[in-house]
Amino acid sequence: MLASGGVALLEDVSPVAGLAVLYLLAVLLVAIRRGELAALGTAVLSVLLFNYLFIEPRHRLTIADPRNVVALAVFLVAAVVVGRLAAAARQRAAEADERAHEAAAREREADLLAQAARSVLTGSGVESRLRNLGASVAAATGAASSRIELASAPTPAERELALRLPTVTRPAWLYVSQDVPWERGALDRIAEPLAGLIDVALERDRLDARAAEAEATRRADVAKTAILRAISHDLRSPLTAITTAADALAGDRLSGSDREDLVAVLREESARLAALVDDLLDLSRIESGAVNPQSDWCDVREVVDRAAAQARSSHGEHRVEVSLPELPLVQADAKQLERVFSNLLDNAIRVSPAGEPVRMTGGVGGGRVTVRVIDRGPGVPRSQRPRVFEPFFRGRQTGGGSGLGLAISRGFVEANGGQILLQTGTEEGTAFAVSFPLVPQPAAVP
């Protein structure tokens, strides 16, 4: 209609045949906006309107001048060609837009999978990696939330979309909040590569577990070998001494003093052997969790005094100085606690220089009751400090010890709810601090 109005306005100043180009513009516009069929219909309608309104005789669908027939035919052919060309251009533009949209979608999906692949490489354990993977999907898709679950059947929460992931190892599902801007088809396309990443995470976890198991087995074998070597060495020395003394006592040419010396050796080495067997039994109970302390109200000062008295009798050449205030009662097994302090004192005396006393100090602070056993020995190298409580570790011992005292001490202290720490300083030497929680004291008996 606009084209017809334009021809009507301009027919007084321009030949009517030349004004048919206005109808071509209309055909071109329709072809661009509506396609080829609409442009063809517009071309035919334009020819009829142009003939009816502007070619003599007007308002009739007849043509008096044969030249106008040619002009209309040329116009119709031109309109059809223009319409087809415009429609083809429109289709190519639409295809280009579709390809651009598809490329953008593929790029978006590639970015998501790249982020997901990075998330699989972070975290420890399958659960952590799946959480990272779900967070990557949510961040890439713009969803409020996203999670991945390993399950045979879907269990979506309210307002969640469930998407099955075709994993090989275990069934898996992707849950995305319904506000996700992505189309379902795009989500379906990322399902398979996501499933592959989940299979990678599961396989990696399986390999990590196997590696950890293999490492644990290797460490156990190394520890077993070390224990066997240590036990064989520690048992051989007293057994050799006992066997030698027994063979000598079997002879008949010994003086009374030699016989007394050999009997003393037998007693000493037997006691040493019995102590080693007791240590091994205690260590076995500790490692199996069978310590079973008989906890009761315990006076730490009394326990320390008994342990110090025993150390003085066993190592008369070393002084043991006890400087403890009155301490609150703690809940612990007194016998096991005495064994702890005896082991610590024995260890401290073995490394102390001649004439240097071993000191025992302590007090209350930080909600704990603490006792320290301090020596002026050579100290523990920084590289060895993490291992001082390991069984059979003899980092600084000068001989005579089995390497079990500190391990047993830690086991007894922790079984009674306490804590034992290595404290090293330049002025105070080396100290082992044993502490127990400060608890409300029992009511005094009237």
Side-chain angles (χ1 to χ4, degrees):
M1 298 301 294
L2 292 177
S4 299
V7 172
L9 290 175
L10 296 175
E11 65 176 336
D12 294 334
V13 297
S14 178
V16 172
L19 296 176
V21 70
L22 296 178
Y23 285 103
L24 287 179
L25 294 177
V27 172
L28 179 62
L29 180 62
V30 170
I32 293 173
R33 299 176 70 105
R34 299 295 182 181
E36 184 176 354
L37 290 178
L40 181 60
T42 302
V44 173
L45 181 61
S46 297
V47 169
L48 295 177
L49 285 174
F50 189 59
N51 180 23
Y52 184 79
L53 295 177
F54 302 108
I55 293 181
E56 299 297 337
R58 298 194 179 197
H59 306 303
R60 293 174 61 187
L61 294 177
T62 57
I63 302 175
D65 190 344
R67 288 174 301 179
N68 289 332
V69 175
V70 175
L72 287 178
V74 171
F75 169 75
L76 179 60
V77 171
V80 171
V81 172
V82 168
R84 295 196 64 178
L85 292 176
R90 174 177 179 271
Q91 183 177 358
R92 286 193 296 271
E95 291 174 353
D97 290 342
E98 184 177 355
R99 286 193 296 271
H101 178 75
E102 189 73 15
R106 293 293 183 270
E107 182 179 1
R108 182 180 59 183
E109 294 165 12
D111 290 340
L112 184 153
L113 295 175
Q115 295 178 23
R118 284 194 297 269
S119 68
V120 167
L121 300 178
T122 60
S124 57
V126 174
E127 293 184 0
S128 175
R129 293 186 181 113
L130 292 183
R131 281 196 302 271
N132 294 338
L133 195 56
S136 298
V137 173
T141 60
S145 64
S146 175
R147 60 188 178 92
I148 293 175
E149 186 178 275
L150 300 176
S152 300
T155 55
E158 185 177 0
R159 301 184 63 80
E160 272 189 344
L161 299 175
L163 181 66
R164 183 182 179 278
L165 301 177
T167 50
V168 176
T169 51
R170 293 175 58 184
W173 294 84
L174 170 65
Y175 302 102
V176 184
S177 57
Q178 293 181 354
D179 60 355
V180 58
W182 282 28
E183 300 173 354
R184 182 58 185 251
L187 294 176
D188 290 336
R189 282 195 298 271
I190 66 171
E192 186 171 351
L194 280 180
L197 291 175
I198 293 174
D199 286 330
V200 169
L202 293 174
E203 180 64 16
R204 181 179 177 184
D205 186 71
R206 187 182 69 84
L207 293 177
D208 288 347
R210 290 183 60 183
E213 183 179 352
E215 178 64 15
T217 302
R218 187 190 68 80
R219 289 179 177 271
D221 290 340
V222 171
K224 185 188 302 181
T225 301
I227 290 173
L228 290 174
R229 287 178 179 174
I231 291 175
S232 62
H233 176 271
D234 291 336
L235 290 177
R236 185 180 294 114
S237 296
L239 286 175
T240 301
I242 291 171
T243 302
T244 303
D247 290 341
L249 286 172
D252 55 359
R253 296 183 180 180
L254 292 175
S255 64
S257 60
D258 290 339
R259 190 174 298 275
E260 290 178 0
D261 290 341
L262 290 174
V263 170
V265 170
L266 285 174
R267 289 172 179 170
E268 181 181 348
E269 295 301 328
S270 296
R272 180 181 170 189
L273 188 59
L276 178 58
V277 172
D278 289 340
D279 285 346
L280 292 172
L281 291 175
D282 287 337
L283 181 65
S284 176
R285 283 194 291 266
I286 289 170
E287 292 187 343
S288 63
V291 177
N292 299 325
Q294 304 299 313
S295 297
D296 199 354
W297 292 108
C298 176
D299 188 333
V300 178
R301 177 60 186 266
E302 291 183 2
V303 174
V304 168
D305 288 339
R306 290 197 299 269
Q310 180 182 353
R312 292 188 187 103
S313 65
S314 301
H315 306 275
E317 70 277 12
H318 286 281
R319 286 185 296 145
V320 177
E321 298 179 353
V322 179
S323 178
L324 285 175
E326 291 296 327
L327 297 175
L329 300 179
V330 299
Q331 289 184 322
D333 187 317
K335 290 183 178 180
Q336 292 181 359
L337 199 55
E338 182 179 344
R339 180 75 180 281
V340 169
F341 290 123
S342 295
N343 286 345
L344 294 178
L345 285 170
D346 185 68
N347 183 72
I349 289 171
R350 291 181 189 281
V351 299
S352 294
E356 290 288 347
V358 173
R359 297 191 299 118
M360 300 187 74
T361 64
V364 179
R368 304 185 73 83
V369 179
T370 303
V371 175
R372 293 179 179 84
V373 179
I374 305 170
D375 66 65
R376 299 302 296 271
V380 180
R382 186 178 299 275
S383 61
Q384 295 181 357
R385 293 173 192 173
R387 300 185 57 201
V388 294
F389 293 106
E390 293 181 4
F392 300 104
F393 180 73
R394 296 181 172 91
R396 61 171 190 160
Q397 290 200 4
T398 57
S402 64
L404 297 177
L406 291 178
I408 293 172
S409 296
R410 182 180 64 174
F412 281 158
V413 169
E414 293 180 350
N416 282 273
Q419 185 181 49
I420 182 169
L421 296 174
L422 167 66
Q423 298 176 337
T424 301
T426 56
E427 296 181 357
E428 294 294 334
T430 300
F432 286 92
V434 178
S435 65
F436 290 89
L438 182 63
V439 295
Q441 298 298 289
V445 179

